[in-house]
Amino acid sequence: ETGVTQTPRHLVMGMTNKKSLKCEQHLGHNAMYWYKQSAKKPLELMFVYNFKEQTENNSVPSRFSPECPNSSHLFLHLHTLQPEDSALYLCASSQPGGLAGSSTDTQYFGPGTRLTVL
Amino acid sequence: RKEVEQDPGPFNVPEGATVAFNCTYSNSASQSFFWYRQDCRKEPKLLMSVYSSGNEDGRFTAQLNRASQYISLLIRDSKLSDSATYLCVVNAGNFNKFYFGSGTKLNVKP
């Protein structure tokens, strides 16, 4: 499936590095999301963008900086991360404003970036 | 109180068994309901959407009870390949806000 793609798939970085995660969706959706999933823990919502505007920041530390240049692309810029930030970072998209209870409000996930902070 | 609650399991069942998971949600205004499947170290993938009074897809049946605010997933004739974590997801009427349960782990044994 290539509806939502993420790069890189794996990333190892030191605490002083700066890196970026990229997400691209080919589904024509207008909402995009970043989630964090630590080992054996539930998904944690980080950010939501709706029509390129950030509509949700779930108390995420400033060392994570999202960017949404258009409805198809979403970035997560990383700097001075901590080892506890090591996790699977998942991007998702959906189509807001769809008819409730229809298939248009379903969320689709990318394969994730597995991040290790040394 | 969590928006969505699930029994974490694990549910250990033999092949061919029927297994059911329940999920409760707290927001009575919730509009849309989903079951996702997540394999180890992979992304969640949509298994089924749950609409109105429920729906069936092959061996999988999802039910919605709005009055009691719970949804269920029934898997019949379990296969080894059904082993995964099953996530209950609720859209609370705000189309941009999806609430995920912590997942129920299923192990199907030969």
Side-chain angles (χ1 to χ4, degrees):
Chain A
E1 295 181 10
T2 59
V4 183
T5 58
Q6 290 186 244
T7 55
R9 295 291 306 274
H10 300 272
L11 178 62
V12 179
M13 61 186 288
M15 289 191 284
T16 58
N17 292 156
K18 290 184 180 181
K19 296 286 184 183
S20 296
L21 310 184
K22 179 182 176 182
C23 175
E24 184 173 359
Q25 58 95 359
H26 309 275
L27 300 169
H29 292 164
N30 287 297
M32 296 187 77
Y33 310 74
W34 280 116
Y35 289 87
K36 174 185 177 181
Q37 189 172 35
S38 302
K40 299 186 178 181
K41 289 188 177 179
L43 280 160
E44 300 173 47
L45 178 67
M46 300 175 74
F47 302 103
V48 181
Y49 277 82
N50 184 24
F51 293 93
K52 303 187 297 179
E53 298 297 321
Q54 188 181 119
T55 55
E56 185 89 18
N57 177 337
N58 201 23
S59 302
V60 180
S62 59
R63 58 186 183 269
F64 294 92
S65 174
E67 178 190 359
C68 188
N70 55 61
S71 293
S72 299
H73 293 85
L74 185 65
F75 295 89
L76 188 62
H77 304 300
L78 316 171
H79 64 97
T80 59
L81 294 192
Q82 304 297 312
E84 59 265 29
D85 296 323
S86 298
L88 180 66
Y89 287 85
L90 290 159
C91 174
S93 72
S94 71
Q95 182 55 20
L99 181 65
S102 75
S103 61
T104 56
D105 66 350
T106 304
Q107 204 172 47
Y108 295 91
F109 285 84
T113 295
R114 187 158 298 281
L115 173 67
T116 302
V117 182
L118 302 177
Chain B
R1 183 183 173 187
K2 291 181 181 178
E3 294 282 345
V4 179
E5 298 210 53
Q6 295 181 249
D7 181 344
F11 285 60
N12 298 307
V13 303
E15 271 188 291
T18 296
V19 61
F21 309 136
N22 288 328
C23 163
T24 58
Y25 60 94
S26 60
N27 188 340
S28 59
S30 297
Q31 301 271 356
S32 303
F33 311 87
F34 311 88
W35 284 102
Y36 280 72
R37 169 196 171 125
Q38 186 172 26
D39 292 287
C40 188
R41 301 175 68 83
K42 296 286 183 69
E43 77 274 23
K45 292 189 176 178
L46 180 67
L47 178 65
M48 300 180 71
S49 301
V50 189
Y51 300 122
S52 62
S53 60
N55 46 291
E56 183 175 316
D57 182 3
R59 298 183 293 109
F60 299 85
T61 300
Q63 294 279 344
L64 167 64
N65 184 318
R66 285 188 183 271
S68 301
Q69 293 181 206
Y70 80 81
I71 64 174
S72 63
L73 178 67
L74 182 77
I75 305 176
R76 292 180 297 278
D77 188 24
S78 300
K79 311 291 185 190
L80 294 176
S81 57
D82 293 335
S83 296
T85 296
Y86 290 83
L87 302 170
C88 174
V89 182
V90 173
N91 184 321
N94 173 339
F95 294 116
N96 287 0
K97 204 67 181 284
F98 292 82
Y99 294 96
F100 284 75
S102 56
T104 298
K105 188 170 176 56
L106 171 65
N107 296 316
V108 181
K109 309 284 189 182

